[in-house]
Structures are given as structure tokens and as C-alpha cells.
Amino acid sequence: MRFGFRCTNCAKAPSDVRRWRCECGAAFALEDSLPFSREAIDTDISGLWRYRAMLPVTEIISLGEGQTPLVEVELYGQKVACKLEYLAPTGSFKDRGTSLLVSALVEMGIKRVVEDSSGNAGASLAAYCARAGIEAQIYVPAHTSPQKLAQIEAYGAKLILIAGPRERAAQATQEAAKRDYYASHYWNPLPLEGIKTEAYEICEALGWQAPEKVIVPVGQGTHLLGLHRGFRDLLEAKLIEKVPRLYGVQARGCAPLYEAFHRRPPMQPRPTVAEGISIREPIRGREVLEAIRATEGAILAVTDEETLQARDIIARRGLYVEPTSAVAVATLKQLSPHLEGITVISLTGSGLKSPKE
Ligand SMILES: [Zn+2]
């Protein structure tokens, strides 16, 4: 174990790293990040563990995640680079973070975990726990797509359906966390360490240069925060000249970060086709807004109609993603005349995971 936590609010370090949040109620961050070294990349390993010298665990629980292709695609009259994160072992980018988290669970000797998810993180955790021989209970909203539910159960995890909004599943899990370890993909800071490798891969694929913009869907915002960390590591190592502008995308129906960023009055959340980012109160919201502002990016929002249209447009280019991923594609219509340099869109989840709308 090469990691320690500290609170993002009161800066206290916990007496036990198995705690899922600080006594003050805030989330933990990692105490420090291991510096990036190009020479330390292990080229004998494929996937994200080739960066193991930069990762804070010594155990490796892997299903072959990472090293996803970066493919040029023409969309809305613009050439962009799509990072095919949906080609991960369980069909979503979550596998990067889960591989790190479950590796740490094995190091800590944890045998049973609970987690809440809108689907993808739960499926990912179920798969990696199956790999590691850890018992997993996954709490999901009852309205989660049947494909994701089937996937979670197929890996052998216990599935618990919770009626009502996404937050109810989180509350039920926090209750269960009094008995079992809460392997949360958003409270726990370790998944960010796995996600940062996506930034490493993007810059490595571009010959150690940073793109101008990176666009990702945001719900809890862990994806954007992980990327931010990865790009900052490369800046500190003097491998890139600046951190790309980070753009987070929300669905109009549930867009608390968009509203906070643009100082708009909060709207009553509505159901959206982008189920994976439908989060009313992102617990790392402040950190997400800071990262966006620090990189001179923005939070954008798109309607469900724009999202489904974008899903169909990118599918006609041969890339089949779920609506939650298509929100990022849909923003190109807004950004289109202003695209300079390289724009990367992270395609986060497979279209096979959601029913046709
Ligand atoms: Zn605290």
C-alpha cells in the first residue's frame, strides 16, 4: 500500500484508510500523487498497468483494461479524436478506476463490499470482485437499464434494486456500509488514480503533446477529476506545455454543475436518457468546478433530443455508445465553429448497455 488519505474539507488524515468519508462528512483525496516518469513506463505490460510506477498500489487485479484506441472521426463538419473507452472489459471507462480500487481492496484484505451505482460502476465492480474473489452487493436504482442489471448479476454480485431516484440507492448503501466495506467509485479517491491513466494514454498517443480540449460527460465528475490529475502530472513532468481545456457535459434534465458554473437558478431534476450522469448532488462538485475553471474549460448541457440525435450520428460513423456518452458528442454542435487544435471526446460506455430509445 503506497497511499494515504486526507479530507478535502478539514484536511485531517483518517486513523483508518478503510473509512469511506471523513468525520466532518466530506470526501477524502489522496495524500499525494506519485510523480510521472516516462522512463518508468513498463513497456512489457499492456494496458494501464504499464504505468504501475505511477500507481499507488502493489497488488494488481486486472482484466486487461486501458490502452483504448484514439480514433479520428468527422462529426458536425469537424475532425475530432474519440477515445474509445467503451471498449473496456465491462464496456465502460469505470474499469480503470475499479482495477485500482479492487487491487487496493486485496491489499487491505477486504472480503465483502457494498456499492451503489447507476449501472456501469456496479457492473465494473462486480466483474473485478469476481476476479479477486470478493463478495459484492450492488445497490442500483430500480429504473436502471435491464442490460446493466443482467451484467451485474452475471458476474455473481448480489443485486439490490432500490425504488426512487439515484440518491435512495446511495442512502441504502451508506446504511449497509456500517457492516461491510463501502467500495464507492466516487467517495473513494483511489479510482481517480486509475482514471488519470487515460490522460497519460491520450498524450502518449499524440506523441507527448496535449490536446487543446477534452470533452467528457459529468455526473459525480470523477472522470473529469481523474483526467485533470493525469494531465497535471504530465505538466509537472514537463512532458506537455499546458493542461487541456476540460469540458464537462451534463443532461439538461439534471444539471446541477451546469447551473452552478453558469450561476443559474437550480431546476427541479427530471428523468433523462443519460442515466449514468443523473446525479443531483455531486459530492466532489466543488473540486469539479475548480478543475474546469483552472483549465479555462466550461460545463455544457444538452437536451435528450440532442443526445439521441448525437448517439445516432456517431453510430453512423461506426461507434455505438450509450446516451450517457453521446451527451459529449452532442456538444460539438455548440462548440463547432470554435474548435482549434485537437479535440478529444471520451466515449465512456457501450451502446450495448442501454435499450434503444
Ligand atoms: Zn474532514
Side-chain angles (χ1 to χ4, degrees):
M1 227 180 324
R2 299 192 282 171
F3 61 86
F5 295 163
R6 112 190 112 61
C7 175
T8 52
N9 176 46
C10 71
K12 254 192 223 159
S15 52
D16 183 348
V17 286
R18 285 172 298 182
R19 287 189 63 97
W20 60 272
R21 67 174 171 187
C22 181
E23 285 161 5
C24 79
F28 292 124
L30 274 202
E31 216 146 42
D32 39 36
S33 186
L34 294 158
F36 188 91
S37 158
R38 198 170 150 183
E39 291 68 40
I41 299 173
D42 190 338
T43 49
D44 292 336
I45 302 177
S46 65
L48 71 79
W49 291 98
R50 60 206 292 278
Y51 302 113
R52 63 185 296 187
M54 281 65 85
L55 300 172
V57 290
T58 42
E59 281 288 338
I60 296 184
I61 301 298
S62 173
L63 291 166
E65 57 295 316
Q67 275 189 310
T68 54
L70 189 66
V71 175
E72 193 181 81
V73 185
E74 199 179 314
L75 291 162
Y76 301 98
Q78 297 279 339
K79 279 195 176 126
V80 295
C82 290
K83 181 76 170 151
L84 308 191
E85 286 294 285
Y86 69 92
L87 297 180
T90 76
S92 92
F93 82 99
K94 302 279 186 189
D95 291 344
R96 289 184 189 272
T98 311
S99 181
L100 254 285
L101 180 59
V102 175
S103 298
L105 297 181
V106 171
E107 280 184 25
M108 293 189 282
I110 287 162
K111 300 282 182 210
R112 274 166 64 98
V113 298
V114 292
E115 155 80 312
D116 56 290
S117 161
S118 56
N120 283 335
S124 184
L125 186 70
Y128 283 81
C129 281
R131 178 77 163 175
I134 293 171
E135 213 180 298
Q137 291 186 22
I138 315 286
Y139 291 73
V140 294
H143 56 78
T144 302
S145 82
Q147 288 87 338
K148 290 176 185 173
L149 300 179
Q151 189 185 10
I152 292 169
E153 280 197 307
Y155 292 128
K158 188 172 175 206
L159 186 64
I160 299 141
L161 297 181
I162 305 289
R166 169 76 180 77
E167 288 66 27
R168 292 263 171 80
Q171 285 156 7
T173 311
Q174 291 177 12
E175 202 43 46
K178 290 173 184 163
R179 300 181 300 273
D180 294 310
Y181 182 82
Y182 185 8
S184 176
H185 63 285
Y186 55 97
W187 281 101
N188 195 305
L190 283 166
L192 301 180
E193 291 292 296
I195 296 166
K196 75 181 181 184
T197 60
E198 186 186 346
Y200 298 167
E201 288 176 18
I202 290 169
C203 295
E204 194 173 354
L206 296 173
W208 297 109
Q209 58 164 326
E212 173 64 24
K213 293 185 174 73
V214 178
I215 309 174
V216 288
V218 292
Q220 290 287 358
T222 53
H223 193 177
L224 188 136
L225 290 173
L227 286 169
H228 189 219
R229 189 175 191 108
F231 288 122
R232 277 186 305 163
D233 288 350
L234 299 180
L235 184 72
E236 276 164 30
K238 298 191 167 50
L239 282 163
I240 59 173
E241 283 171 13
K242 71 182 272 273
V243 170
R245 288 172 192 259
L246 298 179
Y247 287 81
V249 190
Q250 299 216 285
R252 285 252 185 208
C254 184
L257 293 170
Y258 171 77
E259 287 154 1
F261 183 80
H262 296 282
R263 297 190 170 83
R264 291 182 176 214
M267 282 186 11
Q268 184 62 25
R270 302 185 304 275
T272 154
V273 293
E275 62 176 7
I277 50 168
S278 187
I279 305 290
R280 294 176 184 204
E281 288 176 28
I283 60 144
R284 294 182 188 272
R286 189 179 46 82
E287 292 173 74
V288 173
L289 294 175
E290 279 169 8
I292 296 271
R293 291 198 177 107
T295 65
E296 299 178 338
I299 303 255
L300 309 170
V302 294
T303 64
D304 277 4
E305 195 187 347
E306 290 169 318
T307 299
L308 294 175
Q309 201 180 49
R311 190 264 315 265
D312 292 346
I313 287 171
I314 195 165
R316 294 306 173 99
R317 305 285 186 276
L319 304 172
Y320 188 41
V321 300
E322 63 174 327
T324 299
S325 310
V327 297
V329 180
T331 59
L332 286 175
K333 236 168 122 181
Q334 302 174 26
L335 292 171
S336 211
H338 311 293
L339 287 183
E340 283 164 26
I342 300 167
T343 296
V344 172
I345 298 186
S346 186
L347 298 178
T348 50
S350 168
L352 299 174
K353 282 171 167 280
S354 61
K356 176 84 179 148
E357 300 284 342

